[in-house]
Amino acid sequence: MKTQERLFSYCLSLIMIATIFFSCNRTTVKSSGNGSSIDTLKKSEWFHEAKFGLFIHWGLYASLAGEWNGKTDYGEWIQYSANIPGIEYEKIAKKFNPVKFDAKAWVTMAKQAGMKYIVITTKHHEGFCMFDSKLTNYDIVDATPYGKDPMKALSEECKKQGITMCFYYSVKDWHHPEYPVKYTYFSKEHPEGFHGFPNSEADYQKYFTYLQGQVKEILTNYGPVGIIWFDWSGSAFNKNEIMNRQRAQSLVDSIHKWQPLCLINNRLGGIGADYGTPEQEIPGGKQNTAFEVCMTLNNHWGYNKNDNNWKSSKEVIYNLCDIASKGGNYLLNVGPTAEGLIPEASQKILKEVGAWLSLNGEAIYGTTSGGPSVRWNSDIKMITAKPGTFYLHLFNWPTDNKIYLNDFERKFEKAYLLADLEKKSLKTDVHSHGIMIHLPETPLDSINNVVVVKFEDVNKESK
Ligand code: FHN
């Protein structure tokens, strides 16, 4: 290779290395921790204490109640799944008038269900804003006969009742003309993606400015917000979308300024995430990072009047205990009607869950994963813990009315049934290789009987 060429390639590689070096610095997103000045653990204390929250999917799609052109299995994706053009879909707003919406009734229902926080959709993929936004007229105040801001009423009522207000915000937007179709969901129905007002010139920066402006509105107009629950950023924040990832990081930095204590979920491409959000499934085992399982009560997030495939209160309690025994939170959904009512069936299930938690909440709120540190009866799968205490969740009453605590290294103190108002100590036999707890013939609770095991908390002294 002639000297010039050798010199030329040498310079070229120098340039390459320089570009990579500089590009890395420019593009590296501060992913060590979430960049918040306030330690995530500190600001997550309320979240780990709370354990149980209400998810609310409410929007124009509630008016269609899951039906379009004779098909009845739609939900909050009805505009996409039924391929409804924007101009057609917008008309729904003109009739959206939730006169029966009662913030007090909603928050009271959540509280009586034993839920400690509410996450409500301020804007779902349809792009319609269920709050008063100065950045669009496609919102509940400007575009509907209702003309009021339900987020204002809800945040004030949450404050009154000590429930933490949290907001869901969809990054994807089938209404905003600057939201590129390429970032929407490609499927058999829509091989090129879907948008109500497809715009080939869509400029994501313009959309992101809109998004940033709206996130500022919901984080500065409604008082303290516990969580900003982003959803469906699609491919916009994929690792090769450098610009967008930078935009997301700048949004995270702004959120920390507007609400330093506000938690951010992991659906902004994972940027600034304080915790993970498994959906419709419970992780197999204890997780090392904070997580919150979100789940529907029937088959849809949004209201579907024909969907009566409701979970039982036992199933909900089972999921809540299972998730808590793995160190996570449970965010359970309701889909209100267009009139502003929570479906009766949802209310009934949540009331029953609340009745169980009113007696057994101690075994859920503020607990950690008990973990398999001690070998129990094989069918005791769920254990939650607090210093000096294990909570054994018995969904099946042992056939021989006994619990075996094998190799229980801790200094055992006593055991009793949590639902026993007198907290009478259960008879126990302490053996060299463990402890046997004698249970009464019949369980006190028809769903889950929690046995409380008290032991000497070795850490207490050192505290
Ligand atoms: O597409 C949404 C869906 O409509 C719903 O909002 C869930 C809730 O977590 N999130 C998305 C699906 O992952």
Side-chain angles (χ1 to χ4, degrees):
M1 184 199 273
K2 292 207 266 4
T3 42
Q4 266 138 321
E5 277 175 6
R6 203 174 297 112
L7 189 58
F8 176 65
S9 65
Y10 177 68
C11 299
L12 189 60
S13 48
L14 266 185
I15 293 164
M16 289 291 289
I17 293 162
T19 350
I20 291 166
F21 178 68
F22 283 107
S23 64
C24 282
N25 287 347
R26 195 171 65 243
T27 57
T28 305
V29 172
K30 282 202 303 302
S31 55
S32 54
N34 67 5
S36 155
S37 54
I38 299 188
D39 168 59
T40 292
L41 273 183
K42 187 97 195 71
K43 64 179 182 179
S44 305
E45 277 170 10
W46 76 268
F47 182 73
H48 293 304
E49 171 65 30
K51 287 277 184 297
F52 193 30
L54 179 67
F55 210 174
I56 303 178
H57 275 70
W58 198 33
L60 293 182
Y61 43 81
S63 301
L64 302 177
E67 281 193 18
W68 187 264
N69 288 353
K71 279 196 175 165
T72 62
D73 185 27
Y74 298 117
E76 70 290 346
W77 273 60
I78 192 165
Q79 184 181 4
Y80 178 101
S81 311
N83 195 17
I84 309 172
I87 205 75
E88 193 62 33
Y89 196 82
E90 283 184 339
K91 293 179 184 152
I92 304 169
K94 297 195 173 33
K95 295 195 208 76
F96 190 78
N97 196 7
V99 289
K100 294 187 180 160
F101 165 68
D102 174 353
K104 187 168 183 193
W106 287 21
V107 177
T108 304
M109 178 201 74
K111 193 161 185 171
Q112 289 175 348
M115 294 162 152
K116 304 296 186 184
Y117 61 106
I118 292 177
V119 180
I120 185 166
T121 52
T122 58
K123 186 196 82 163
H124 202 265
H125 311 334
E126 63 182 3
F128 182 76
C129 301
M130 295 295 286
F131 67 103
D132 181 13
S133 175
K134 295 294 174 270
L135 304 177
T136 179
N137 291 332
Y138 196 50
D139 70 18
I140 192 167
V141 172
D142 300 314
T144 76
Y146 185 68
K148 288 176 285 181
D149 184 345
M151 298 307 147
K152 190 83 95 195
L154 267 177
S155 52
E156 283 158 6
E157 189 59 35
C158 279
K159 204 159 173 206
K160 272 198 209 119
Q161 300 202 37
I163 297 288
T164 302
M165 183 87 236
C166 311
F167 289 136
Y168 167 110
Y169 187 90
S170 170
V171 175
K172 176 164 62 182
D173 192 317
W174 295 321
H175 183 268
H176 196 287
E178 298 299 347
Y179 188 86
V181 178
K182 70 176 180 180
Y183 291 146
T184 65
Y185 182 59
F186 289 37
S187 64
K188 204 163 53 358
E189 303 127 311
H190 300 288
E192 270 114 50
F194 169 84
H195 196 294
F197 298 95
N199 165 14
S200 56
E201 309 299 311
D203 173 349
Y204 197 71
Q205 178 51 54
K206 288 189 183 144
Y207 174 72
F208 208 81
T209 306
Y210 168 79
L211 177 155
Q212 194 135 10
Q214 291 210 312
V215 172
K216 183 173 184 182
E217 288 179 318
I218 59 178
L219 292 184
T220 55
N221 295 344
Y222 301 93
V225 174
I227 301 168
I228 178 85
W229 214 100
F230 288 110
D231 199 8
W232 204 283
S233 40
S235 52
F237 299 122
N238 287 2
K239 62 182 181 339
N240 51 16
E241 293 280 0
I242 309 297
M243 281 303 288
N244 291 346
R245 294 185 70 78
Q246 276 184 352
R247 288 172 178 135
Q249 185 57 52
S250 67
L251 176 62
V252 166
D253 298 344
S254 305
I255 291 169
H256 290 148
K257 268 202 317 281
W258 298 323
Q259 294 256 1
L261 295 177
C262 183
L263 298 176
I264 303 173
N265 72 349
N266 66 336
R267 297 194 180 192
L268 201 61
I271 295 162
D274 289 305
Y275 70 92
T277 54
E279 178 168 316
Q280 302 284 48
E281 59 177 14
I282 299 175
K286 182 180 176 196
Q287 306 294 297
N288 301 327
T289 52
F291 72 99
E292 173 199 66
V293 172
C294 58
M295 216 179 262
T296 53
L297 251 180
N298 56 8
N299 296 340
H300 294 87
W301 299 97
Y303 176 61
N304 177 307
K305 69 182 180 194
N306 301 296
D307 179 358
N308 294 307
N309 182 22
W310 302 104
K311 290 177 175 64
S312 65
S313 52
K314 178 167 184 174
E315 198 179 343
V316 170
I317 292 166
Y318 188 96
N319 292 343
L320 175 63
C321 298
D322 187 12
I323 294 165
S325 74
K326 292 162 180 169
N329 281 33
Y330 192 25
L331 187 65
L332 190 59
N333 185 75
V334 294
T337 67
E339 294 168 304
L341 296 173
I342 308 280
E344 287 296 322
S346 301
Q347 294 193 42
K348 179 174 174 298
I349 298 162
L350 292 179
K351 210 183 189 85
E352 292 165 7
V353 173
W356 185 84
L357 275 169
S358 64
L359 274 178
N360 299 280
E362 177 193 323
I364 299 291
Y365 305 123
T367 60
T368 55
S369 157
S373 53
V374 177
R375 276 182 328 104
W376 312 89
N377 297 38
S378 55
D379 57 7
I380 297 178
K381 302 218 176 9
M382 296 177 206
I383 308 159
T384 51
K386 283 176 181 169
T389 311
F390 281 129
Y391 300 95
L392 320 185
H393 296 260
L394 306 186
F395 282 85
N396 305 313
W397 195 249
T399 46
D400 60 357
N401 305 331
K402 292 187 183 60
I403 292 179
Y404 306 92
L405 313 182
N406 301 325
D407 324 330
F408 191 77
E409 282 107 23
R410 296 165 179 78
K411 188 165 173 314
F412 172 80
E413 288 169 356
K414 64 179 176 178
Y416 55 88
L417 287 169
L418 188 52
D420 172 8
L421 302 178
E422 289 153 30
K423 309 292 184 225
K424 247 192 348 290
S425 284
L426 296 167
K427 182 173 173 305
T428 52
D429 306 334
V430 180
H431 303 290
S432 56
H433 57 280
I435 298 162
M436 183 194 295
I437 299 173
H438 298 265
L439 297 171
E441 279 298 315
T442 49
L444 293 178
D445 189 276
S446 61
I447 293 180
N448 171 13
N449 287 273
V450 177
V451 174
V452 181
V453 175
K454 289 285 184 187
F455 54 87
E456 184 189 65
D457 171 16
V458 286
N459 306 327
K460 197 156 47 191
E461 286 77 33
S462 57
K463 279 193 192 126

